C-alpha cells in the first residue's frame, strides 16, 4: 500500500499562517489524481475544505486572545479529527502511547479505572480488581463529572486519563453521578502503582472452580491455562465459573487464547473491515486445556470488547451457559499505528463477529439466564424451626460447622451463588444419566 503524504509534517515546516495558506493548496493539488477517469470522486482531496482549514488556522493565529503554538494547534486538530470518528479512535502523543503499552503489559500508575466516552460524557467502563477504584466502590456506567476541581465536560479522553494519573500516594477526588441517582457524589482516592494480575482462581466448593479474568493482557491466555491446571491438580473439576464481569477487554489474541482453552474445534471470532488485512478469522485448536468441564460464564454491563468475544464464542458453540446481565456492546477492533517520535494512532479498523455471525457492536451479548446483581438475604420467617433450635436437643458428635469465608462471599454475590447452584444442578443431572 502506498504511504500517504503526511500533511501535519508538511504543515509544521511552514513558517507562518500565510505561507501555510499559500502552501497548502498547491500541496493538495499535487495530491489530486492525475488521471481523473481512473478514480472516483470520493478519492479526490476536498480542496475547498482544506482551504477552509488553512483559513481557520490563520485566523486563530492572528486573532485568538492568547498566542497559540503551531504544533499545539495541529496536534489538537488531529485529536479532533479522530475523536469525531467514534469513541475508541484517538491520537496518541508520547505519554498516551506509553500508557497504552503499560496497560497491555499489566503495569501502570493511577487509580485502576477503565474509562470511555458515552454521549460526550466521561464514563466508567469498569474498575480494575484490587485497585483504589474498585475498593472505593466505583461501578460501570458511573459518569465522572469532575476530576478534582476540573469539569470533564468537553474534555478529551486522553486529557481525563492524564489528570487521573499521578504519583503513588497522591490523592484525587472524583465527582460521579450514578445511574438512577439524582445527585452526584464525591469520592476521594489515593493513587497507587497499579500492577495487575489479570487472572485469579480458587475453589468455590469441592470440585467446583472459579476463574476470574479482570482484563485481557498479552499473557492472559497462558495464565488461564496455568490456573486451570492448578484447579485440576486434585482431579478433574465437576464445574467451573468463568467470571468476566466488569472486564473492559484488551488484547484480541488473548481473548482468542482464552476461548480456545474451552473449545477444541470451530470458529471463535472473525473480523470485517475495509482493508484486506483487517479481515481475519480465528479458530480453536484441537489441543485444549479444559474441553469438557461444565461451564457457566458470568457477564454484566461492564463486560466489553474481548470479554464479549469470549462470551459470544462460547455461547454460539453451546460450550457453556452465559449468566448475568447484558454486556457493554463494544464490537469494534482498534489497530495501533505508530507515527514515529513515539506517537501513534488508535484507529477503529474493523468490527468483530461471533461464530454465528452476530455483530456485538452496540448490541452486546444477551445472557442465556438473566440474573441481576444482588445479595442473598435469608429472613428469620423463611428459615423455619430446626432440631438445633429446640430446647434440650441432643448435640452432634461431630464438631459444629463454622461459616466459611466462601459461604459469606456467595451470600454477598448473588450472581456467583446462582452460577454455582446451576453447576451443581447440571452435575446431578449428569450423574443420573450415567
Amino acid at each position: 500500500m502506498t504511504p500517504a503524504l503526511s500533511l501535519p509534517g508538511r504543515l509544521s515546516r511552514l513558517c507562518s499562517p500565510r505561507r501555510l495558506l499559500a502552501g497548502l493548496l498547491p500541496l493538495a493539488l499535487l495530491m489530486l489524481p492525475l488521471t481523473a477517469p481512473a478514480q472516483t470522486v470520493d478519492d479526490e482531496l476536498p480542496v475547498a475544505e482544506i482551504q477552509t482549514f488553512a483559513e481557520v488556522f490563520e485566523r486563530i493565529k492572528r486573532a485568538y486572545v492568547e498566542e497559540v503554538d503551531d504544533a499545539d494547534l495541529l496536534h489538537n486538530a488531529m485529536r479532533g479529527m479522530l475523536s469525531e470518528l467514534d469513541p475508541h479512535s484517538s491520537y496518541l502523543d508520547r505519554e498516551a502511547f506509553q500508557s497504552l503499552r503499560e496497560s497491555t503489559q499489566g503495569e501502570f500508575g493511577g487509580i485502576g479505572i477503565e474509562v470511555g466516552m458515552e454521549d460526550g460524557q466521561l464514563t466508567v467502563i469498569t474498575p480494575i480488581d484490587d485497585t483504589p477504584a474498585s475498593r472505593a466502590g466505583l461501578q460501570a456506567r458511573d459518569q465522572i463529572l469532575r476530576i478534582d476541581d476540573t469539569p470533564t465536560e468537553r474534555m478529551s479522553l486522553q486529557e481525563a486519563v492524564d489528570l487521573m494519573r499521578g504519583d503513588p500516594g497522591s490523592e484525587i477526588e472524583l465527582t460521579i453521578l450514578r445511574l438512577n441517582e439524582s445527585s452526584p457524589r464525591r469520592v476521594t482516592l489515593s493513587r497507587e502503582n497499579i500492577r495487575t494480575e489479570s487472572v485469579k482462581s480458587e475453589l468455590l466448593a469441592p470440585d467446583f472452580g472459579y476463574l476470574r479474568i479482570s482484563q485481557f493482557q498479552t499473557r492472559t491466555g497462558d495464565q488461564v491455562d496455568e490456573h486451570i491446571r492448578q484447579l485440576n491438580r486434585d482431579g478433574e473439576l465437576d464445574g467451573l465459573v468463568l467470571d468476566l464481569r466488569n472486564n473492559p477487554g484488551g488484547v484480541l489474541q488473548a481473548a482468542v487464547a482464552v476461548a480456545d482453552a474451552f473449545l477444541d474445534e470451530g470458529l471463535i471470532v472473525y473480523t470485517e473491515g475495509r482493508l484486506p488485512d483487517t479481515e481475519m478469522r480465528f479458530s480453536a485448536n484441537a489441543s485444549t486445556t479444559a474441553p469438557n468441564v461444565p461451564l457457566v460464564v458470568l457477564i454484566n454491563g461492564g463486560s466489553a470488547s474481548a470479554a464479549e468475544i469470549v462470551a459470544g464464542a462460547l455461547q454460539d458453540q453451546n460450550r457453556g451457559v452465559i449468566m448475568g446481565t447484558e454486556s457493554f456492546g463494544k464490537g469494534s477492533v482498534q489497530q495501533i499505528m505508530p507515527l514515529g517520535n513515539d506517537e501513534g494512532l488508535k484507529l477503529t479498523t474493523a468490527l468483530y463477529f461471533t461464530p454465528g455471525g452476530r455483530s456485538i457492536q452496540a448490541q452486546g451479548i444477551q445472557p442465556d439466564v438473566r440474573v441481576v446483581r444482588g445479595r442473598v438475604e435469608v429472613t428469620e420467617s423463611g428459615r423455619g424451626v430446626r432440631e438445633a433450635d429446640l430446647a434440650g436437643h441432643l448435640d452432634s458428635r461431630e464438631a459444629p460447622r463454622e461459616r466459611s469465608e466462601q459461604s459469606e462471599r456467595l451470600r454477598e454475590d448473588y450472581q456467583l451463588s446462582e452460577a454455582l447452584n446451576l453447576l451443581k444442578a447440571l452435575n446431578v443431572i449428569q450423574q443420573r444419566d450415567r
Side-chain angles (χ1 to χ4, degrees):
M1 184 172 62
T2 304
L5 292 176
S6 174
L7 284 176
R10 174 67 183 267
L11 294 177
S12 62
R13 291 193 293 268
L14 298 174
C15 299
S16 68
R18 292 192 177 278
R19 287 190 60 187
L20 171 66
L21 181 59
L24 190 55
L25 286 177
L27 174 61
L29 292 173
L30 285 174
M31 293 178 66
L32 289 175
L34 297 178
T35 54
Q39 290 185 296
T40 65
V41 175
D42 289 341
D43 293 326
E44 297 179 0
L45 287 173
V47 177
E49 282 73 14
I50 292 176
Q51 182 176 3
T52 301
F53 172 82
E55 184 177 353
V56 170
F57 187 97
E58 181 183 22
R59 292 192 180 189
I60 292 173
K61 288 291 295 181
R62 185 178 65 242
Y64 186 65
V65 63
E66 297 178 353
E67 187 174 348
V68 185
D69 182 72
D70 288 2
D72 289 341
L73 277 177
L74 292 170
H75 280 93
N76 290 338
M78 288 186 284
R79 290 189 182 95
M81 187 162 43
L82 285 153
S83 66
E84 289 298 315
L85 296 175
D86 65 83
H88 308 292
S89 295
S90 60
Y91 164 73
L92 304 173
D93 58 20
R94 291 185 182 184
E95 291 184 1
F97 202 45
Q98 178 63 24
S99 173
L100 183 64
R101 289 174 179 171
E102 291 171 351
S103 64
T104 56
Q105 295 299 323
E107 182 173 345
F108 55 94
I111 60 174
I113 190 173
E114 181 80 13
V115 293
M117 289 291 183
E118 281 193 20
D119 300 326
Q121 180 61 56
L122 185 67
T123 304
V124 175
I125 294 178
T126 183
I128 299 171
D129 289 351
D130 298 326
T131 62
S134 64
R135 292 193 291 270
L138 268 65
Q139 299 179 10
R141 287 193 160 85
D142 282 348
Q143 294 184 345
I144 302 177
L145 307 181
R146 286 177 173 269
I147 301 174
D148 289 325
D149 294 325
T150 306
T152 58
E153 186 180 4
R154 298 182 181 179
M155 184 183 293
S156 72
L157 187 60
Q158 188 53 49
E159 288 172 336
V161 171
D162 290 342
L163 281 178
M164 288 187 286
R165 294 286 173 92
D167 295 331
S170 61
E171 289 191 343
I172 177 175
E173 183 182 77
L174 301 182
T175 304
I176 65 171
L177 180 62
R178 182 155 296 167
L179 199 64
N180 299 324
E181 291 187 0
S182 58
S183 59
R185 62 176 72 185
R186 293 183 179 182
V187 181
T188 301
L189 306 95
S190 180
R191 295 182 178 93
E192 294 180 3
N193 188 19
I194 307 297
R195 293 185 178 90
T196 60
E197 287 293 330
S198 63
V199 183
K200 296 179 180 179
S201 65
E202 58 185 297
L203 287 175
L204 293 175
D207 300 323
F208 290 93
Y210 173 77
L211 188 67
R212 164 68 181 164
I213 304 177
S214 58
Q215 56 185 316
F216 288 87
Q217 301 169 351
T218 53
R219 290 195 65 252
T220 297
D222 294 334
Q223 291 173 359
V224 164
D225 290 342
E226 293 170 6
H227 280 266
I228 291 176
R229 293 190 185 98
Q230 291 174 9
L231 290 170
N232 282 324
R233 65 181 179 270
D234 295 327
E236 189 170 342
L237 293 171
D238 290 332
L240 178 68
V241 178
L242 175 61
D243 190 351
L244 300 179
R245 293 174 297 177
N246 294 328
N247 182 318
V251 179
L252 172 62
Q253 287 75 8
V256 172
V258 169
D260 197 10
F262 303 100
L263 298 169
D264 53 12
E265 63 178 359
L267 188 63
I268 293 175
V269 66
Y270 66 94
T271 64
E272 291 183 354
R274 291 176 59 201
L275 300 178
D277 62 357
T278 61
E279 297 185 355
M280 299 176 288
R281 298 176 70 86
F282 299 90
S283 297
N285 296 307
S287 176
T288 301
T289 310
N292 300 316
V293 61
L295 187 65
V296 171
V297 182
L298 288 176
I299 62 171
N300 65 3
S303 306
S305 190
E308 294 172 293
I309 290 177
V310 174
L314 297 176
Q315 188 177 54
D316 282 7
Q317 296 281 21
N318 297 315
R319 179 58 187 86
V321 177
I322 311 300
M323 179 181 283
T325 56
E326 180 184 352
S327 64
F328 187 80
K330 180 185 177 294
S332 59
V333 180
Q334 283 70 46
Q335 184 176 351
I336 308 303
M337 302 177 178
L339 296 176
N341 297 324
D342 293 326
E343 298 179 343
L345 299 181
K346 185 171 71 169
L347 187 66
T348 300
T349 58
L351 297 176
Y352 63 73
F353 297 82
T354 70
R358 293 181 295 158
S359 173
I360 299 169
Q361 179 60 29
Q363 301 294 324
I365 297 292
Q366 297 292 335
D368 301 311
V369 180
R370 178 175 173 79
V371 179
V372 298
R373 182 178 179 179
R375 185 178 187 274
V376 180
E377 295 285 355
V378 180
T379 62
E380 288 299 321
S381 59
R383 180 175 178 269
V385 178
R386 303 178 62 199
E387 173 71 15
D389 299 322
L390 299 178
H393 69 271
L394 297 176
D395 292 330
S396 170
R397 295 181 180 180
E398 296 181 0
R401 294 179 181 178
E402 294 182 359
R403 182 175 292 174
S404 67
E405 292 184 6
Q406 283 295 350
S407 65
E408 284 296 325
R409 179 177 178 182
L410 293 172
R411 185 184 296 274
E412 293 292 332
D413 191 338
Y414 181 63
Q415 291 173 325
L416 182 58
S417 176
E418 287 299 289
L420 179 59
N421 288 338
L422 178 57
L423 284 173
K424 289 181 176 179
L426 292 173
N427 185 58
V428 170
I429 295 172
Q430 289 180 346
Q431 294 292 338
R432 289 176 177 174
D433 290 340
R434 290 177 183 173

